[in-house]
Amino acid sequence: MLKFSSKVEKCELSPVRKFNPCAAEAKAKGRRIFHLNIGQPDVITPSVFFEAVSSFHAPVLEYAPAPGMPELLEAIKDYFAKIDIKVGTDEMLITTGGGEALDMVMACILDDDDELLVPEPFYANYNTFARVTGGKIRPIPTRAEDGYRYADRSIIEPLINEHTRGIMITNPGNPTGVVLTDEEMRIMVDIAKEHDLFLIGDEVYREYAYDRPAKSLLTFEDAAENIIVLDSVSKRFSACGARIGAVITHNKEFLRQALKLCQGRLCSPTLEQVGSAALYRAATPEYYAGVREEYRRRRDTVVEAFSKIPGAKFRSPDGAFYLMVTLPVDDTEELQYFLLNEFEDNGDTVMYAPGCGFYADSSMGRNEIRVAYVKECDYLVRAIELLGKGIAAYNAKKK
Ligand SMILES: Cc1ncc(COP(=O)(O)O)c(C=O)c1O
C-alpha cells in the first residue's frame, strides 16, 4: 500500500475551508451563503498594484532573486523606516505569502518532538506548519474572561522545557483580537532572551489596532538575535491573492539557514513582487487610517449583532478583524453541517469557522466559532441574523 508520512497524516484540513464541498452543494441547490468564515476582505486593493503589473514589460518573465526583488526589499525597508524601525534589505526574505514565511520559520527552528509555545486559541494553520516538521505546538492557554491576555511569567515559564524552541505571538491577534501593551511585549521579549528562545512575531495585522498602535517586535533591539517578524501584503493592502509576504530578522544565522529554503523554491512570483512594491510605496498614514476606521465600524456592528443572540458570549476585539464567540450549542461543526444541509431563511444561510480548529487539541473549542468581519455592515448584520435563526432551529431539532 502507498504510504503517507506520519507528519502529514497528523495535519488536518483548515477549519476555514473544510466545509467548502458542502457549501458548493448548498449553492448548487440555490442557497445564498453569507461568509463569516474567511478573512477575505472586500476592501478595494489599491489600483497602483494593477498599474505596476500592467506597465511591467520584459522580453522574458524571469525568475526573481531567491531572497526577493531589490525594489520590493527597498520598499519594505522604507515602510519600516517610517515606523522608526531600521532594517537592511539583507535582513529580509520575500516569501510567497505570510503562509510561506510561517512554513520557513518553523522548518528552520523545529525538529522532531520540538515545541513552539503559542497563545491559544491561535491561527489554525500554525498547527499544520508545526506538524509537518515533526514538532508541535504547546499552547499557552488564554481565556476570554481575562481578555485573552497571556504575557505572564507564571503561566509561560512552567511550559518551557528542553524541547521548547520558540514562542510565537500573533499581534494583533487572529482569532482573539488581542493587542499586546508595550509592557506585555517587554515581558515576552525578556522570557525569550532568558530562556534562549526564538520569539516570532506574526504581525500581518499590524495596522489594525483600534485603540493604540500595535508595536512591532523589531523595536526591541536588545533581543535582535531572538526576534523574527512575519509580514504580508494580504491584509495590509487587501491583496490576499498576491501571495507576497516576508520574514524580517537581524539574526544573520537564521537568514543563512532560511536562504536554503528560499533557493530551494527558487523565488516568489515576479509580477506579484512588482505590484507589491508599488503598494508599499504608495500607502500613506491616511490610507491605513481609512481602512482601520472601516474595520472599526464593522467590529462595532458585529459586536452589536452578536449581543442580540441569546446565550452568545464573546469579548470585543481590540485589533485584527476576527472574534471568537461561544455559542449556546453543543458542537459548532455539527451546527455548520446543519446550516449548510438543512437550514435556510429566504434561501440564505451562513458559514463561520468552527472554533475547534483554533486549538492544538481539537476536542477543545467545540462550542466556539471564529468570525471574520471583513464585509460591508449590512452583510454582517444579515449573516449574524441568519446564525441566530439557525441556532434556534438547530437546538429545536435536537430537543
Ligand atoms: C495570523 C495570520 N498569519 C498569517 C496569515 C497568512 O496570510 P497570507 O499567507 O495570506 O499572507 C494569516 C492569514 O489569514 C493570518 O491570519
Side-chain angles (χ1 to χ4, degrees), residues 29-304:
K29 280 194 275 178
R31 298 270 187 279
R32 178 173 183 216
I33 300 178
F34 284 71
H35 290 274
L36 296 175
N37 53 317
I38 184 160
Q40 170 58 71
D42 64 358
V43 170
I44 300 293
T45 311
S47 60
V48 289
F49 179 90
F50 303 104
E51 286 151 19
V53 170
S54 49
S55 52
F56 178 89
H57 295 291
V60 176
L61 184 56
E62 295 184 344
Y63 288 123
M69 290 172 79
E71 63 198 271
L72 177 56
L73 293 165
E74 283 291 339
I76 298 179
K77 184 181 115 182
D78 292 349
Y79 159 85
F80 277 108
K82 283 188 201 145
I83 51 172
D84 294 328
I85 292 172
K86 195 163 169 281
V87 278
T89 52
D90 58 349
E91 296 178 311
M92 307 174 202
L93 298 168
I94 301 302
T95 57
T96 308
E100 192 189 43
L102 284 166
D103 200 6
M104 282 188 185
V105 170
M106 298 217 201
C108 285
I109 70 169
L110 296 179
D111 260 324
D112 283 339
D113 303 323
D114 281 348
E115 296 180 3
L116 187 62
L117 295 180
V118 188
E120 182 182 64
F122 52 79
Y123 176 54
N125 291 329
Y126 294 164
N127 270 329
T128 308
F129 296 129
R131 285 172 188 166
V132 289
T133 69
K136 65 170 189 240
I137 287 178
R138 177 173 285 262
I140 304 170
T142 71
R143 301 179 337 138
E145 299 87 304
D146 305 329
Y148 293 113
R149 310 223 78 86
Y150 54 83
D152 181 337
R153 277 181 185 272
S154 68
I155 298 172
I156 297 174
E157 288 188 320
L159 300 171
I160 298 174
N161 60 42
E162 74 274 22
H163 300 292
T164 316
R165 296 288 164 263
I167 308 176
M168 164 84 90
I169 60 180
T170 320
N171 189 41
N174 169 14
T176 61
V178 71
V179 179
L180 293 185
T181 63
D182 292 2
E183 297 72 37
E184 287 174 322
M185 291 182 93
R186 183 74 251 171
I187 293 171
M188 299 307 292
V189 169
D190 288 344
I191 295 174
K193 272 173 66 179
E194 285 163 33
H195 294 270
D196 248 334
L197 300 174
F198 285 105
L199 181 61
I200 305 148
D202 182 337
E203 301 183 354
V204 305
Y205 299 99
R206 188 179 301 116
E207 277 71 23
Y208 307 129
Y210 304 115
D211 302 323
R212 60 197 145 74
K215 190 164 166 167
S216 174
L217 272 181
L218 290 167
T219 50
F220 291 87
E221 288 172 5
D222 61 312
E225 292 293 302
N226 305 72
I227 290 169
I228 302 170
V229 163
L230 309 179
D231 222 51
S232 164
V233 303
S234 291
K235 316 291 162 153
R236 173 167 312 128
F237 303 115
S238 197
C240 297
R243 312 306 309 129
I244 295 294
V247 181
I248 304 118
T249 179
H250 299 298
N251 184 320
K252 297 278 185 273
E253 183 55 18
F254 177 88
L255 291 160
R256 197 181 72 78
Q257 299 290 354
L259 185 61
K260 299 174 194 168
L261 303 180
C262 290
Q263 292 191 350
R265 62 82 163 109
L266 307 178
C267 68
S268 287
T270 301
L271 285 177
E272 309 288 354
Q273 293 194 59
V274 169
S276 298
L279 289 172
Y280 276 102
R281 288 260 172 250
T284 57
E286 293 72 38
Y287 167 78
Y288 295 127
V291 180
R292 184 166 48 245
E293 282 318 299
E294 179 56 31
Y295 285 128
R296 185 201 299 277
R297 226 160 53 83
R298 295 175 182 193
R299 191 261 323 251
D300 294 346
T301 300
V302 293
V303 162
E304 194 190 329

